[in-house]
């Protein structure tokens, strides 16, 4: 059973920064990719950023230049550094890990990010 535990959410003013963390219960090398998704009230869950096993990254257009995804292999942790936050970034942010071998998605419990104007 894989567990992904997010932390770092909270309330911040527009223009501020937050860093989200996602700690995995097993080595992150076992996942083909890891990423962050978000879901705002009344909207579908959307991909924010993803990091592949080889280290390449991709981002939603809405966060490019403001958010950075990274990982610490020794700590089995993936981070999302969020700068220049906007009210429209307000959402529950979920950590995701995907394994191609078993075609399995794993999800964290989510962490709330609220950006006030």
């Amino acid at each position: 059973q894989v567990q992904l535990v997010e932390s770092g959410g909270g309330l911040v003013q527009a223009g501020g920064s937050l860093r989200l963390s996602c700690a995995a219960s097993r080595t992150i090398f076992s996942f083909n990719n890891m990423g962050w998704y978000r879901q705002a009230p009344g909207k579908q869950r959307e991909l924010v950023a993803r990091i592949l096993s080889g280290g390449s990254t991709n981002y939603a257009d809405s966060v490019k230049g403001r958010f950075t995804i990274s990982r610490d292999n020794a700590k089995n942790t993936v981070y999302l550094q969020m700068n220049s936050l906007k009210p429209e970034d307000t959402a529950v942010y979920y950590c995701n890990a995907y394994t191609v071998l078993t075609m399995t998605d794993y999800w964290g419990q989510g962490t709330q990010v609220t950006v006030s104007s």
Side-chain angles (χ1 to χ4, degrees):
Q1 183 74 10
V2 174
Q3 288 188 321
L4 302 174
V5 180
E6 300 112 331
S7 60
L11 173 64
V12 64
Q13 288 188 332
S17 298
L18 284 174
R19 188 177 79 156
L20 305 183
S21 300
C22 171
S25 60
R26 74 183 195 201
T27 175
I28 59 177
F29 283 120
S30 66
F31 305 118
N32 294 90
N33 62 66
M34 295 188 71
W36 290 92
Y37 288 71
R38 67 186 180 187
Q39 188 167 19
K43 294 188 177 181
Q44 289 189 333
R45 190 173 297 189
E46 63 175 358
L47 175 67
V48 176
R50 181 167 49 204
I51 184 165
L52 305 184
S53 57
S56 59
T57 59
N58 49 62
Y59 296 90
D61 288 342
S62 59
V63 307
K64 281 181 181 176
R66 300 188 297 123
F67 291 10
T68 303
I69 189 170
S70 62
R71 67 188 183 198
D72 185 330
N73 298 328
K75 294 182 179 180
N76 293 324
T77 299
V78 173
Y79 303 98
L80 184 68
Q81 178 66 44
M82 306 185 293
N83 298 328
S84 303
L85 282 161
K86 304 175 181 180
E88 51 263 44
D89 294 318
T90 295
V92 178
Y93 284 69
Y94 297 91
C95 180
N96 169 268
Y98 179 70
T99 302
V100 170
L101 186 63
T102 58
M103 294 188 291
T104 303
D105 270 305
Y106 301 96
W107 295 94
Q109 79 285 357
T111 185
Q112 177 71 46
V113 171
T114 303
V115 184
S116 64
S117 57

